[in-house]
């Protein structure tokens, strides 16, 4: 279980203010809110990129600041909206290994990730398949992936890592709504029984979460399932209804 206990994070001003909430083992939690509400700061605190100004974050009752970063990162499988791909082979991007060090078993795990993200056809069209270089820095037999394909490759990297705690911070912002829905359905299958947190501005995907928390001005203002929050006249209902009207 992950728990925030009275966490405050300040820069020039408070971005997160006395925040307390839990993510239960095996739970899929959606974190929503307007731009600047503090969502990405919560993710960066979880990933130990920032340290709390006050309070603490616990993993199974152990303060994460007391856990070695290397050991802690073995647990995490994050995908960020500002992900980075390197000008190496696709396979090297996914595994973080040189081609000659990648095992047959790891190639099979990669293929499963590509299948789940509907990347198999795209991979099959490349000159050297999963060993094709990204960008033309090192090879003429390369490919420049689109933003959407790039995001899928970043997600494939997280799936391959097989951490026990999935974190997805706007991982599908470059995808169309149908592709996003497809990916979230597949990600839920992958992470079933594992703990996961995701942020998405498209609230159609939050319906797949076990629970939703709403962050507003650095505080948690709502907490519940999609159906529960839609019965309240709060920020979640306002945001969901506003987006839904665009598709009607």
């Amino acid at each position: 279980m992950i728990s925030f206990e009275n966490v405050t994070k300040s820069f020039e001003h408070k971005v997160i203010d006395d925040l307390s909430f839990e993510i239960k083992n095996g739970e899929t939690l959606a974190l929503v809110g307007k731009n600047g509400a503090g969502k990405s700061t919560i993710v960066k605190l979880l990933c130990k990129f920032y340290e709390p100004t006050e309070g603490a974050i616990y993993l199974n009752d152990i303060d994460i600041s007391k856990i070695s970063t290397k050991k802690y990162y073995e647990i995490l499988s994050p995908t960020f909206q500002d992900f980075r791909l390197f000008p190496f082979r696709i396979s090297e991007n996914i595994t973080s290994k040189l081609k000659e060090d990648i095992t047959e078993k790891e190639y099979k795990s990669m293929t499963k990730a590509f299948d789940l993200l509907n990347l198999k056809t795209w991979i099959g069209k490349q000159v050297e398949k999963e060993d094709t270089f990204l960008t033309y820095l090192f090879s003429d037999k390369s490919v420049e992936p689109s933003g959407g394909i790039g995001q899928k490759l970043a997600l494939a990297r997280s799936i391959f890592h097989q951490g026990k705690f999935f974190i997805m911070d706007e991982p599908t912002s470059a995808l169309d709504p149908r592709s996003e829905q497809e990916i979230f359905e597949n990600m839920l299958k992958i992470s079933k029984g594992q703990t996961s947190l995701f942020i998405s501005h498209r609230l159609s995907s939050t319906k797949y979460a076990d629970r939703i928390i709403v962050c507003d001005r650095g505080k948690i203002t709502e907490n519940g399932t999609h159906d529960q929050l839609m019965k309240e006249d709060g920020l979640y209902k306002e945001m969901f209804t506003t987006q839904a009207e665009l598709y009607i």
Side-chain angles (χ1 to χ4, degrees):
M1 182 174 72
I2 303 283
S3 59
F4 276 57
E5 292 192 10
N6 306 110
V7 173
T8 294
K9 181 60 185 174
S10 300
F11 296 100
E12 292 180 359
H13 61 280
K14 286 183 180 178
V15 179
I16 299 296
D17 186 10
D18 196 27
L19 209 65
S20 295
F21 68 93
E22 293 179 348
I23 310 174
K24 299 177 180 124
N25 289 337
E27 181 178 39
T28 299
L29 182 72
L31 177 60
V32 304
K34 294 180 179 177
N35 288 335
K39 305 184 299 297
S40 289
T41 301
I42 290 171
V43 169
K44 285 169 182 170
L45 285 163
L46 264 174
C47 291
K48 295 180 72 169
F49 297 162
Y50 299 153
E51 292 182 1
T53 305
E54 297 174 26
I57 303 167
Y58 295 91
L59 170 65
N60 295 334
D61 299 323
I62 302 170
D63 187 332
I64 66 169
S65 68
K66 310 297 183 188
I67 304 172
S68 80
T69 300
K70 183 180 179 181
K71 195 71 181 171
Y72 184 67
Y73 283 176
E74 289 176 5
I75 299 166
L76 303 185
S77 277
T79 308
F80 304 105
Q81 56 183 319
D82 54 349
F83 66 90
R84 292 292 182 270
L85 296 173
F86 304 100
F88 310 140
R89 301 175 193 274
I90 293 169
S91 55
E92 293 171 336
N93 269 275
I94 302 301
T95 62
S96 301
K97 288 183 173 185
L98 293 172
K99 178 182 180 295
E100 54 266 29
D101 295 329
I102 302 172
T103 66
E104 187 177 340
K105 183 179 179 182
E106 288 171 329
Y107 272 107
K108 286 179 180 177
S109 293
M110 255 190 288
T111 300
K112 285 181 183 177
F114 296 149
D115 272 344
L116 287 164
L117 296 166
N118 293 323
L119 274 171
K120 194 173 180 181
T121 301
W122 182 84
I123 294 287
K125 290 178 181 176
Q126 306 315 315
V127 178
E128 297 186 81
K129 307 299 186 276
E130 62 273 277
D131 291 325
T132 302
F133 277 94
L134 295 178
T135 79
Y136 290 86
L137 185 62
F138 296 124
S139 172
D140 292 334
K141 298 176 181 178
S142 301
V143 62
E144 293 271 7
S146 66
I149 292 292
Q151 282 195 316
K152 287 185 176 185
L153 290 172
L155 282 163
R157 183 162 56 196
S158 292
I159 294 168
F160 176 86
H161 181 59
Q162 295 182 331
K164 299 299 182 186
F165 182 24
F166 281 93
I167 299 174
M168 295 171 278
D169 183 5
E170 292 284 344
T172 54
S173 57
L175 301 177
D176 61 84
R178 182 173 293 178
S179 295
E180 181 184 52
Q181 180 178 343
E182 207 170 71
I183 282 175
F184 270 112
E185 286 176 348
N186 285 335
M187 289 300 288
L188 285 177
K189 290 175 189 173
I190 300 159
S191 61
K192 192 170 181 64
Q194 294 175 297
T195 309
S196 56
L197 169 72
F198 72 85
I199 298 173
S200 176
H201 281 300
R202 289 192 191 125
L203 300 190
S204 57
S205 58
T206 60
K207 293 189 292 184
Y208 298 109
D210 297 320
R211 188 163 53 93
I212 301 160
I213 57 175
V214 181
C215 188
D216 189 26
R217 298 178 186 178
K219 291 182 176 290
I220 299 298
T221 56
E222 298 170 63
N223 186 339
T225 65
H226 170 78
D227 290 339
Q228 288 169 340
L229 297 186
M230 287 301 289
K231 291 175 183 174
E232 300 176 10
D233 289 323
L235 179 60
Y236 180 80
K237 182 179 179 181
E238 177 191 331
M239 292 174 66
F240 188 89
T241 304
T242 300
Q243 287 191 16
E245 287 173 351
L246 298 175
Y247 296 101
I248 295 174

